[in-house]
Short mmCIF file of all heavy atoms in Angstrom, two decimals:
data_model
loop_
_atom_site.label_atom_id
_atom_site.label_comp_id
_atom_site.label_asym_id
_atom_site.label_seq_id
_atom_site.Cartn_x
_atom_site.Cartn_y
_atom_site.Cartn_z
N LYS J 1 41.82 168.73 160.98
CA LYS J 1 41.08 170.02 160.55
C LYS J 1 39.79 169.70 159.91
O LYS J 1 38.87 170.53 159.95
CB LYS J 1 42.07 170.90 159.63
CG LYS J 1 41.52 172.25 159.32
CD LYS J 1 41.52 173.18 160.62
CE LYS J 1 42.90 173.42 161.14
NZ LYS J 1 43.58 174.30 160.34
N SER J 2 39.68 168.47 159.38
CA SER J 2 38.39 168.12 158.83
C SER J 2 37.24 168.05 159.77
O SER J 2 36.09 168.38 159.40
CB SER J 2 38.47 166.78 158.03
OG SER J 2 38.83 165.74 158.94
N TYR J 3 37.58 167.67 161.04
CA TYR J 3 36.53 167.59 162.01
C TYR J 3 36.12 169.09 162.35
O TYR J 3 34.95 169.31 162.68
CB TYR J 3 37.06 166.90 163.25
CG TYR J 3 37.31 165.46 163.02
CD1 TYR J 3 38.58 164.91 162.80
CD2 TYR J 3 36.18 164.56 163.04
CE1 TYR J 3 38.79 163.55 162.64
CE2 TYR J 3 36.46 163.19 162.76
CZ TYR J 3 37.72 162.75 162.58
OH TYR J 3 37.91 161.41 162.27
N GLU J 4 37.09 169.96 162.40
CA GLU J 4 36.79 171.34 162.83
C GLU J 4 35.90 171.87 161.64
O GLU J 4 34.85 172.58 161.95
CB GLU J 4 38.06 172.15 162.86
CG GLU J 4 39.01 171.79 163.85
CD GLU J 4 38.54 171.92 165.28
OE1 GLU J 4 37.56 172.78 165.50
OE2 GLU J 4 38.96 171.30 166.20
N PHE J 5 36.17 171.60 160.40
CA PHE J 5 35.31 172.07 159.29
C PHE J 5 33.90 171.55 159.47
O PHE J 5 32.96 172.25 159.19
CB PHE J 5 35.94 171.69 157.99
CG PHE J 5 35.01 171.89 156.85
CD1 PHE J 5 34.61 173.15 156.41
CD2 PHE J 5 34.47 170.77 156.11
CE1 PHE J 5 33.79 173.34 155.33
CE2 PHE J 5 33.59 170.91 155.01
CZ PHE J 5 33.33 172.22 154.64
N GLU J 6 33.77 170.22 159.84
CA GLU J 6 32.36 169.49 159.87
C GLU J 6 31.61 170.33 160.99
O GLU J 6 30.44 170.58 160.75
CB GLU J 6 32.64 168.08 160.36
CG GLU J 6 31.31 167.44 160.40
CD GLU J 6 31.66 165.90 160.70
OE1 GLU J 6 32.48 165.55 161.37
OE2 GLU J 6 30.74 165.04 160.20
N ARG J 7 32.26 170.72 162.13
CA ARG J 7 31.48 171.35 163.21
C ARG J 7 31.14 172.78 162.69
O ARG J 7 30.01 173.20 162.95
CB ARG J 7 32.35 171.41 164.44
CG ARG J 7 32.68 170.10 165.15
CD ARG J 7 33.33 170.32 166.43
NE ARG J 7 33.81 169.02 167.04
CZ ARG J 7 35.00 168.59 166.97
NH1 ARG J 7 35.95 169.25 166.25
NH2 ARG J 7 35.33 167.44 167.53
N TRP J 8 32.13 173.37 162.14
CA TRP J 8 31.78 174.70 161.63
C TRP J 8 30.73 174.90 160.55
O TRP J 8 29.92 175.69 160.65
CB TRP J 8 33.20 175.29 161.03
CG TRP J 8 33.24 176.72 160.49
CD1 TRP J 8 33.37 177.81 161.18
CD2 TRP J 8 33.00 176.99 159.05
NE1 TRP J 8 33.31 178.90 160.35
CE2 TRP J 8 33.12 178.36 159.03
CE3 TRP J 8 32.81 176.29 157.92
CZ2 TRP J 8 33.03 179.11 157.85
CZ3 TRP J 8 32.71 176.92 156.73
CH2 TRP J 8 32.80 178.35 156.69
N ALA J 9 30.78 173.86 159.67
CA ALA J 9 29.71 173.84 158.48
C ALA J 9 28.38 173.73 159.20
O ALA J 9 27.38 174.25 158.67
CB ALA J 9 30.02 172.74 157.55
N GLY J 10 28.31 172.89 160.34
CA GLY J 10 27.01 172.70 160.95
C GLY J 10 26.50 174.17 161.56
O GLY J 10 25.33 174.35 161.55
N LEU J 11 27.42 174.90 162.11
CA LEU J 11 27.06 176.16 162.59
C LEU J 11 26.58 177.10 161.56
O LEU J 11 25.63 177.76 161.67
CB LEU J 11 28.29 176.75 163.31
CG LEU J 11 28.79 176.11 164.57
CD1 LEU J 11 30.07 176.69 165.10
CD2 LEU J 11 27.73 176.11 165.72
N VAL J 12 27.31 177.07 160.40
CA VAL J 12 26.84 177.88 159.25
C VAL J 12 25.43 177.46 158.85
O VAL J 12 24.66 178.33 158.54
CB VAL J 12 27.80 177.65 158.03
CG1 VAL J 12 27.24 178.38 156.78
CG2 VAL J 12 29.17 178.26 158.42
N ASP J 13 25.15 176.21 158.85
CA ASP J 13 23.88 175.79 158.44
C ASP J 13 22.70 176.23 159.44
O ASP J 13 21.59 176.74 159.00
CB ASP J 13 23.75 174.15 158.45
CG ASP J 13 24.24 173.63 157.14
OD1 ASP J 13 24.31 174.40 156.10
OD2 ASP J 13 24.56 172.44 157.06
N ILE J 14 22.96 176.18 160.71
CA ILE J 14 22.18 176.66 161.73
C ILE J 14 21.73 178.11 161.49
O ILE J 14 20.63 178.54 161.52
CB ILE J 14 22.73 176.41 163.02
CG1 ILE J 14 22.65 175.01 163.55
CG2 ILE J 14 21.77 177.29 164.14
CD1 ILE J 14 23.42 174.77 164.82
N PHE J 15 22.81 178.92 161.27
CA PHE J 15 22.55 180.39 161.03
C PHE J 15 21.95 180.72 159.81
O PHE J 15 20.94 181.49 159.64
CB PHE J 15 23.89 181.09 161.25
CG PHE J 15 23.80 182.49 161.52
CD1 PHE J 15 23.36 182.84 162.73
CD2 PHE J 15 24.18 183.48 160.69
CE1 PHE J 15 23.20 184.20 163.07
CE2 PHE J 15 24.08 184.86 161.05
CZ PHE J 15 23.70 185.14 162.32
N TYR J 16 22.36 180.01 158.67
CA TYR J 16 21.89 180.23 157.43
C TYR J 16 20.41 179.88 157.29
O TYR J 16 19.55 180.57 156.62
CB TYR J 16 22.66 179.50 156.29
CG TYR J 16 22.24 179.60 154.87
CD1 TYR J 16 22.62 180.81 154.18
CD2 TYR J 16 21.28 178.80 154.26
CE1 TYR J 16 22.14 181.01 152.85
CE2 TYR J 16 20.94 178.99 152.90
CZ TYR J 16 21.25 180.12 152.30
OH TYR J 16 20.90 180.26 150.97
N ASN J 17 20.05 178.78 157.86
CA ASN J 17 18.55 178.36 157.76
C ASN J 17 17.74 179.00 158.81
O ASN J 17 16.52 178.67 158.99
CB ASN J 17 18.47 176.80 157.99
CG ASN J 17 19.16 176.05 156.84
OD1 ASN J 17 19.06 176.45 155.61
ND2 ASN J 17 19.95 175.02 157.09
N LYS J 18 18.30 179.93 159.62
CA LYS J 18 17.57 180.75 160.54
C LYS J 18 16.83 179.83 161.62
O LYS J 18 15.65 180.18 162.03
CB LYS J 18 16.58 181.63 159.88
CG LYS J 18 17.25 182.63 159.01
CD LYS J 18 16.26 183.59 158.30
CE LYS J 18 16.96 184.67 157.51
NZ LYS J 18 16.10 185.64 156.74
N GLN J 19 17.48 178.80 161.99
CA GLN J 19 16.85 177.87 162.93
C GLN J 19 16.70 178.59 164.38
O GLN J 19 15.97 178.11 165.18
CB GLN J 19 17.66 176.61 163.11
CG GLN J 19 17.75 175.83 161.90
CD GLN J 19 18.62 174.60 162.09
OE1 GLN J 19 18.85 174.12 163.19
NE2 GLN J 19 19.27 174.14 160.94
N HIS J 20 17.46 179.65 164.46
CA HIS J 20 17.50 180.31 165.84
C HIS J 20 16.49 181.40 165.84
O HIS J 20 16.33 182.11 166.92
CB HIS J 20 18.88 180.95 166.01
CG HIS J 20 19.29 181.94 164.97
ND1 HIS J 20 19.40 181.67 163.63
CD2 HIS J 20 19.58 183.33 165.07
CE1 HIS J 20 19.78 182.75 162.90
NE2 HIS J 20 19.84 183.73 163.77
N VAL J 21 15.75 181.83 164.81
CA VAL J 21 14.89 182.84 164.75
C VAL J 21 13.43 182.50 165.27
O VAL J 21 12.83 181.51 164.82
CB VAL J 21 14.71 183.45 163.29
CG1 VAL J 21 13.72 184.51 163.34
CG2 VAL J 21 16.01 183.89 162.82
N GLY J 22 13.04 183.13 166.27
CA GLY J 22 11.74 182.82 166.91
C GLY J 22 11.72 183.09 168.36
O GLY J 22 12.68 183.36 168.95
N LYS J 23 10.47 183.03 168.96
CA LYS J 23 10.29 183.34 170.33
C LYS J 23 10.00 182.19 171.20
O LYS J 23 9.74 182.38 172.49
CB LYS J 23 9.31 184.42 170.56
CG LYS J 23 9.58 185.80 169.84
CD LYS J 23 8.59 186.86 170.10
CE LYS J 23 8.88 188.19 169.47
NZ LYS J 23 7.91 189.10 169.69
N SER J 24 10.10 180.95 170.70
CA SER J 24 9.72 179.82 171.52
C SER J 24 11.00 179.20 172.19
O SER J 24 12.10 179.53 171.83
CB SER J 24 9.05 178.68 170.68
OG SER J 24 10.07 178.16 169.80
N LEU J 25 10.75 178.39 173.16
CA LEU J 25 11.99 177.77 173.82
C LEU J 25 12.76 176.88 172.90
O LEU J 25 13.87 176.52 173.08
CB LEU J 25 11.43 176.94 175.09
CG LEU J 25 10.87 177.74 176.23
CD1 LEU J 25 10.44 176.94 177.35
CD2 LEU J 25 11.89 178.80 176.65
N GLU J 26 12.00 176.39 171.83
CA GLU J 26 12.77 175.64 170.75
C GLU J 26 13.90 176.47 170.19
O GLU J 26 15.01 175.96 170.04
CB GLU J 26 11.71 175.13 169.70
CG GLU J 26 12.42 174.23 168.58
CD GLU J 26 11.39 173.84 167.62
OE1 GLU J 26 10.21 174.00 167.80
OE2 GLU J 26 11.87 173.21 166.59
N GLN J 27 13.58 177.72 169.91
CA GLN J 27 14.64 178.56 169.39
C GLN J 27 15.77 178.85 170.48
O GLN J 27 16.87 178.94 170.10
CB GLN J 27 14.06 179.95 168.82
CG GLN J 27 13.57 179.92 167.47
CD GLN J 27 12.13 179.16 167.33
OE1 GLN J 27 11.25 179.45 168.04
NE2 GLN J 27 12.14 178.15 166.47
N ARG J 28 15.29 178.97 171.67
CA ARG J 28 16.28 179.21 172.79
C ARG J 28 17.33 177.99 172.77
O ARG J 28 18.49 178.15 172.91
CB ARG J 28 15.58 179.29 174.13
CG ARG J 28 16.55 179.46 175.31
CD ARG J 28 16.01 178.90 176.62
NE ARG J 28 15.67 177.49 176.61
CZ ARG J 28 15.32 176.76 177.55
NH1 ARG J 28 15.05 177.35 178.67
NH2 ARG J 28 15.10 175.48 177.39
N ASP J 29 16.79 176.79 172.61
CA ASP J 29 17.55 175.56 172.56
C ASP J 29 18.57 175.58 171.40
O ASP J 29 19.62 174.95 171.43
CB ASP J 29 16.67 174.40 172.61
CG ASP J 29 15.97 174.20 173.91
OD1 ASP J 29 16.37 174.82 175.01
OD2 ASP J 29 15.05 173.44 173.95
N VAL J 30 18.17 176.19 170.20
CA VAL J 30 19.10 176.29 169.12
C VAL J 30 20.23 177.16 169.47
O VAL J 30 21.41 176.80 169.17
CB VAL J 30 18.28 176.89 167.85
CG1 VAL J 30 19.34 177.16 166.72
CG2 VAL J 30 17.34 175.98 167.38
N PHE J 31 19.94 178.21 170.24
CA PHE J 31 21.12 179.07 170.71
C PHE J 31 22.05 178.27 171.65
O PHE J 31 23.24 178.34 171.60
CB PHE J 31 20.57 180.24 171.52
CG PHE J 31 20.17 181.37 170.51
CD1 PHE J 31 18.91 181.39 170.02
CD2 PHE J 31 20.97 182.46 170.29
CE1 PHE J 31 18.50 182.53 169.18
CE2 PHE J 31 20.67 183.49 169.46
CZ PHE J 31 19.35 183.49 168.96
N LEU J 32 21.47 177.43 172.49
CA LEU J 32 22.22 176.60 173.34
C LEU J 32 23.13 175.63 172.51
O LEU J 32 24.26 175.30 172.89
CB LEU J 32 21.33 175.87 174.39
CG LEU J 32 20.74 176.66 175.53
CD1 LEU J 32 19.70 175.86 176.23
CD2 LEU J 32 21.81 177.15 176.39
N LYS J 33 22.50 175.06 171.46
CA LYS J 33 23.20 174.15 170.63
C LYS J 33 24.35 174.80 169.94
O LYS J 33 25.48 174.24 169.89
CB LYS J 33 22.31 173.52 169.64
CG LYS J 33 23.07 172.60 168.65
CD LYS J 33 21.98 171.96 167.66
CE LYS J 33 22.69 171.03 166.58
NZ LYS J 33 21.78 170.50 165.62
N PHE J 34 24.09 176.02 169.54
CA PHE J 34 25.17 176.83 168.83
C PHE J 34 26.41 177.14 169.79
O PHE J 34 27.49 176.91 169.36
CB PHE J 34 24.62 178.07 168.27
CG PHE J 34 25.52 178.82 167.33
CD1 PHE J 34 25.35 178.82 165.92
CD2 PHE J 34 26.56 179.63 167.79
CE1 PHE J 34 26.18 179.51 165.01
CE2 PHE J 34 27.54 180.28 166.91
CZ PHE J 34 27.21 180.12 165.56
N LEU J 35 25.96 177.49 170.94
CA LEU J 35 27.03 177.81 172.03
C LEU J 35 27.87 176.57 172.20
O LEU J 35 29.05 176.61 172.37
CB LEU J 35 26.42 178.37 173.23
CG LEU J 35 25.87 179.76 173.11
CD1 LEU J 35 25.09 180.17 174.36
CD2 LEU J 35 26.94 180.82 172.91
N SER J 36 27.22 175.39 172.40
CA SER J 36 28.00 174.10 172.68
C SER J 36 28.92 173.83 171.54
O SER J 36 30.07 173.44 171.88
CB SER J 36 26.95 172.98 172.95
OG SER J 36 27.59 171.76 173.07
N LEU J 37 28.43 173.87 170.27
CA LEU J 37 29.27 173.61 169.15
C LEU J 37 30.40 174.62 169.07
O LEU J 37 31.53 174.19 168.68
CB LEU J 37 28.35 173.67 167.88
CG LEU J 37 27.48 172.37 167.69
CD1 LEU J 37 26.63 172.63 166.50
CD2 LEU J 37 28.25 171.15 167.54
N THR J 38 30.20 175.87 169.30
CA THR J 38 31.13 176.93 169.29
C THR J 38 32.28 176.66 170.30
O THR J 38 33.44 176.87 170.07
CB THR J 38 30.53 178.29 169.62
OG1 THR J 38 29.62 178.54 168.52
CG2 THR J 38 31.59 179.37 169.51
N LYS J 39 31.92 176.14 171.39
CA LYS J 39 32.91 175.80 172.53
C LYS J 39 33.77 174.56 172.06
O LYS J 39 34.93 174.58 172.36
CB LYS J 39 32.21 175.50 173.83
CG LYS J 39 33.19 175.41 175.02
CD LYS J 39 32.42 175.24 176.24
CE LYS J 39 33.39 175.09 177.41
NZ LYS J 39 32.68 175.09 178.78
N GLU J 40 33.17 173.57 171.35
CA GLU J 40 33.88 172.44 170.90
C GLU J 40 34.89 172.87 169.78
O GLU J 40 35.87 172.17 169.50
CB GLU J 40 32.93 171.43 170.39
CG GLU J 40 32.07 170.82 171.48
CD GLU J 40 31.14 169.85 170.99
OE1 GLU J 40 31.14 169.53 169.70
OE2 GLU J 40 30.15 169.36 171.66
N LEU J 41 34.51 173.92 168.94
CA LEU J 41 35.35 174.26 167.87
C LEU J 41 36.69 174.78 168.31
O LEU J 41 36.73 175.64 169.16
CB LEU J 41 34.68 175.31 167.09
CG LEU J 41 34.99 175.59 165.63
CD1 LEU J 41 34.83 174.40 164.78
CD2 LEU J 41 34.28 176.87 165.07
N ASN J 42 37.73 174.16 167.77
CA ASN J 42 39.14 174.54 168.08
C ASN J 42 39.41 174.40 169.60
O ASN J 42 40.09 175.19 170.22
CB ASN J 42 39.37 176.08 167.73
CG ASN J 42 39.24 176.29 166.18
OD1 ASN J 42 39.65 175.44 165.35
ND2 ASN J 42 38.57 177.34 165.84
N ALA J 43 38.78 173.31 170.15
CA ALA J 43 38.88 173.10 171.66
C ALA J 43 40.23 172.83 172.00
O ALA J 43 40.64 173.12 173.19
CB ALA J 43 37.99 171.93 171.92
N LYS J 44 41.12 172.31 171.19
CA LYS J 44 42.53 172.10 171.47
C LYS J 44 43.25 173.31 171.76
O LYS J 44 44.28 173.30 172.52
CB LYS J 44 43.22 171.29 170.36
CG LYS J 44 42.66 169.90 170.14
CD LYS J 44 43.50 169.17 169.08
CE LYS J 44 42.86 167.71 168.97
NZ LYS J 44 43.60 166.99 167.81
N ARG J 45 42.84 174.47 171.22
CA ARG J 45 43.47 175.77 171.48
C ARG J 45 42.60 176.41 172.63
O ARG J 45 41.82 177.27 172.35
CB ARG J 45 43.47 176.59 170.24
CG ARG J 45 44.36 176.11 169.17
CD ARG J 45 44.80 177.12 168.14
NE ARG J 45 43.71 177.69 167.48
CZ ARG J 45 43.18 177.20 166.33
NH1 ARG J 45 43.66 176.09 165.77
NH2 ARG J 45 42.12 177.82 165.84
N ALA J 46 42.85 176.05 173.85
CA ALA J 46 42.08 176.57 174.97
C ALA J 46 42.06 178.07 175.00
O ALA J 46 43.13 178.72 175.01
CB ALA J 46 42.62 175.98 176.25
N ASN J 47 40.79 178.56 175.04
CA ASN J 47 40.67 180.04 175.18
C ASN J 47 39.75 180.34 176.36
O ASN J 47 38.60 180.15 176.34
CB ASN J 47 40.02 180.53 173.85
CG ASN J 47 39.95 182.06 173.88
OD1 ASN J 47 39.67 182.76 174.84
ND2 ASN J 47 40.29 182.70 172.73
#
């Protein structure tokens, strides 16, 4: 569960620091990173 927390805390940081806010492709790529990490989170419980 510590690995799940580590991934999750990274997502919280992305959102809290507003790394996704903006209109450049750099911000688009932050969304892609968030989606990738979200998919990895709790991956053992296939949804």
Side-chain angles (χ1 to χ4, degrees):
K1 190 64 68 70
S2 64
Y3 293 102
E4 301 295 336
F5 169 68
E6 184 177 33
R7 296 187 187 96
W8 179 85
L11 294 172
V12 172
D13 278 342
I14 288 174
F15 203 64
Y16 181 81
N17 294 320
K18 298 183 178 180
Q19 297 175 28
H20 62 299
V21 177
K23 297 183 177 181
S24 73
L25 293 181
E26 182 178 354
Q27 274 76 52
R28 179 206 64 177
D29 291 343
V30 172
F31 278 84
L32 286 169
K33 178 181 179 181
F34 192 102
L35 288 171
S36 177
L37 288 172
T38 298
K39 189 173 181 178
E40 292 176 9
L41 197 64
N42 302 315
K44 292 182 179 179
R45 297 198 299 270
N47 186 320

